[in-house]
Amino acid sequence: MIVILIGYMASGKSSIGVELSKKINFDFIDLDDFIEERENAKINTIFKDKGEIYFRKVEHQLLKEILNTKTNLVLSLGGGTPCYAGNMSLINNRHNVSSFYLKAKIKTITERLYKEKDSRPLVAHIVNEETLYEFIGKHLFERAPYYEQSNNSIVIDDLDIEEIVEKIVLQLF
Ligand code: S3P
């Protein structure tokens, strides 16, 4: 089985993925890290030098590769992965995949993402928290229909990592 974690930037996909994989004794892959290793470049640099369309192509190819070759895996996607290149259909057509949308309020995401925005090319240019809040509101509105295609969704605003992992495990087994 492959457990896929889905959600907006800064929703905790990577840290939850690490803890979940330890708990259920699965391997862990963070798709962004996998892309960075393969491309031998940081996500920021890939966006800057080669552009977002190139990034989305690589993201799609590597997602396919992982789905075709791995098992007993927890996979954390990038925030945009479900929204491009038919990736969500690809995921939903697999019988061995269980996907979880880590759902958070705009306010929760804004507070978290503001602190880490410099490593995210899509929001690095945003100068204050109010503008970021506006941006996320619109962006999430566009992306939610993709995220909502996940098999399960967990509202994470008031939960710590351990509680989220616990909820996922309960739904898995
Ligand atoms: C992106 C999210 C990032 C990364 C890239 C694009 C997005 O991943 O894939 O910067 O389109 O939302 P995280 O969600 O892990 O920050």
Side-chain angles (χ1 to χ4, degrees):
M1 179 174 36
I2 301 183
V3 182
I4 297 191
L5 301 183
I6 285 172
Y8 200 76
M9 288 177 267
S11 58
K13 302 178 293 290
S14 305
S15 31
I16 293 160
V18 170
E19 292 311 313
L20 175 65
S21 67
K22 283 187 204 154
K23 185 96 178 182
I24 61 177
N25 215 6
F26 275 24
D27 292 334
F28 173 69
I29 293 179
D30 179 282
L31 186 58
D32 284 338
D33 293 347
F34 200 74
I35 295 169
E36 288 186 339
E37 272 165 37
R38 280 297 177 86
E39 290 290 299
N40 201 17
K42 291 277 167 204
I43 302 285
N44 265 335
T45 313
I46 303 172
F47 266 71
K48 189 158 61 68
D49 292 352
K50 299 194 165 165
E52 181 171 355
I53 292 173
Y54 176 84
F55 173 80
R56 296 300 173 193
K57 275 191 195 152
V58 175
E59 183 179 49
H60 175 66
Q61 276 158 7
L62 294 182
L63 172 65
K64 254 195 322 204
E65 179 184 316
I66 292 169
L67 292 177
N68 286 336
T69 56
K70 310 273 182 192
T71 189
N72 291 349
L73 177 77
V74 175
L75 173 66
S76 295
L77 301 184
T81 319
C83 318
Y84 292 90
N87 290 337
M88 212 54 214
S89 313
L90 187 71
I91 289 168
N92 282 335
N93 286 330
R94 303 277 158 156
H95 298 295
N96 65 335
V97 165
S98 190
S99 55
F100 288 81
Y101 172 25
L102 307 178
K103 189 171 184 171
K105 293 194 183 103
I106 303 169
K107 185 168 177 286
T108 308
I109 298 170
T110 305
E111 285 164 8
R112 293 189 190 179
L113 189 55
Y114 193 66
K115 293 180 210 138
E116 319 170 351
K117 68 181 181 61
D118 292 346
S119 60
R120 266 85 170 198
L122 295 180
V123 293
H125 63 284
I126 295 178
V127 288
N128 62 53
E129 226 169 311
E130 293 71 39
T131 318
L132 184 62
Y133 185 92
E134 291 285 310
F135 175 90
I136 294 170
K138 289 186 194 142
H139 209 198
L140 201 52
F141 181 76
E142 291 165 5
R143 286 182 166 190
Y146 296 94
Y147 296 158
E148 297 284 357
Q149 291 170 37
S150 305
N151 304 130
N152 310 277
S153 91
I154 296 180
V155 176
I156 59 153
D157 302 274
D158 301 321
L159 303 178
D160 62 28
I161 293 184
E162 210 173 302
E163 290 167 325
I164 298 165
V165 168
E166 207 54 49
K167 278 187 182 272
I168 296 175
V169 172
L170 274 175
Q171 294 193 43
L172 278 176
F173 302 108

